[in-house]
Amino acid sequence: MIREKKSEEVPLSLSATARYDGEDVKRQLLEDQHEKCYICERKLGTDFQIDHFKSQENYSNLRQDWRNLFLACGYCNGKKSDRFDNNISPLDVNVEDEIEQRIDFNHNKASFRAVIDDEQHRNTVEMLCRFYNGKQNKRLIKEERFFDEAKQKMISFLRKVYNYQMDSTRENRDIVAEELSVEKEMLGFKYWIILDCHLKDEFINEIKWNKEWTIK
Ligand SMILES: [Zn+2]
């Protein structure tokens, strides 16, 4: 998960009709989110649903609220349901800075850690853990496949990063930079690989996604 940006202009059908899933809404969300699920950052293709950040069940007043609408893949949307209504908002927070996102290859699990300890951060971490690792770290078939896909993608990215570290040519750098462009998948995880490999300064311009970079 990373910070998201949303177009200022509210799609017309949200104010002109009683729907939240008009074609204009889907089109704008696809564009704003670079055709990725806002939770797992996988490319959406045709498998996408409108997710109410705060669920319709518990927040019917936000049913047509533009800032409450995101696109999620069927997997994430289905699992989130109305159980995770109190997450940190990717519109307000640099999620990649505030939640460490890693694949723990030794324990074959995804690990998440919030750098801030409050209810919203805890809730978001719990949601991500459950999506990637299943309940009590036991995975059902879909969860296993979901995790494996993420793991394979990170192995592939790690190879490219190590390649660059061992042989710092322009060409190898470009390969890593390409993987970090905003429309690519799993940037939240890639972010922590870049940090762990002490390459933050080197790729500072590539990891600014959707935010004004503030020098800390
Ligand atoms: Zn997803």
Side-chain angles (χ1 to χ4, degrees):
M1 260 179 108
I2 58 168
R3 188 182 190 99
E4 298 288 342
K5 234 169 36 179
K6 203 179 265 298
S7 75
E8 304 267 314
E9 212 167 305
V10 179
L12 200 61
S13 70
L14 282 179
S15 49
T17 70
R19 305 174 64 104
Y20 64 80
D21 60 352
E23 290 294 288
D24 55 344
V25 175
K26 292 177 193 159
R27 203 180 302 281
Q28 192 60 57
L29 287 174
L30 278 169
E31 188 185 320
D32 289 350
Q33 293 178 210
H34 304 278
E35 311 202 352
K36 292 188 292 183
C37 169
Y38 81 104
I39 298 175
C40 71
E41 289 192 79
R42 288 188 298 184
K43 281 287 183 186
L44 287 167
T46 54
D47 168 34
F48 58 80
Q49 298 167 1
I50 291 185
D51 178 68
H52 288 82
F53 180 70
K54 290 190 183 292
S55 68
Q56 298 190 72
E57 289 81 357
N58 300 325
Y59 294 87
S60 57
N61 58 318
L62 298 177
R63 194 172 164 273
Q64 283 184 286
D65 187 316
W66 178 227
R67 284 180 60 87
N68 195 45
L69 304 179
F70 291 90
L71 282 187
C73 68
Y75 178 87
C76 290
N77 187 241
K79 282 184 109 56
K80 180 168 164 279
S81 172
D82 62 351
R83 286 189 294 258
F84 296 98
D85 277 343
N86 194 23
N87 288 339
I88 52 171
S89 168
L91 295 179
D92 300 328
V93 163
N94 297 333
V95 184
E96 66 274 24
D97 286 317
E98 300 196 359
I99 297 190
E100 297 179 12
Q101 303 163 55
R102 294 186 177 91
I103 300 293
D104 177 348
F105 292 99
N106 289 328
H107 298 96
N108 203 42
K109 66 186 184 86
S111 77
F112 303 96
R113 198 183 77 87
V115 301
I116 296 168
D117 185 29
D118 65 17
E119 182 73 29
Q120 291 182 323
H121 285 77
R122 275 197 295 273
N123 211 47
T124 310
V125 163
E126 190 195 327
M127 178 184 80
L128 291 169
C129 277
R130 197 176 289 190
F131 287 14
Y132 283 89
N133 300 324
K135 261 188 185 173
Q136 282 110 37
N137 286 0
K138 256 185 81 163
R139 298 188 186 98
L140 305 173
I141 293 175
K142 270 197 179 182
E143 291 163 346
E144 188 66 44
R145 291 173 67 89
F146 181 80
F147 172 74
D148 278 344
E149 192 188 323
K151 187 168 87 172
Q152 292 310 322
K153 282 179 177 157
M154 283 311 97
I155 288 172
S156 156
F157 180 64
L158 269 169
R159 282 210 184 99
K160 292 172 179 172
V161 171
Y162 291 156
N163 249 347
Y164 171 62
Q165 286 188 310
M166 285 185 293
D167 185 12
S168 302
T169 61
R170 178 68 201 236
E171 196 186 359
N172 285 340
R173 189 194 184 283
D174 287 348
I175 290 170
V176 175
E178 160 79 16
E179 282 278 342
L180 295 172
S181 63
V182 71
E183 73 275 5
K184 292 288 185 179
E185 297 186 315
M186 296 189 66
L187 298 176
F189 283 89
K190 289 175 180 171
Y191 186 74
W192 284 93
I193 288 178
I194 291 296
L195 263 58
D196 290 343
C197 292
H198 308 290
L199 291 170
K200 186 177 179 180
D201 291 341
E202 167 80 44
F203 290 99
I204 198 94
N205 291 318
E206 282 83 1
I207 55 175
K208 283 177 186 172
W209 321 293
N210 302 329
K211 65 182 181 188
E212 292 299 320
W213 188 256
T214 45
I215 308 288
K216 286 181 181 157

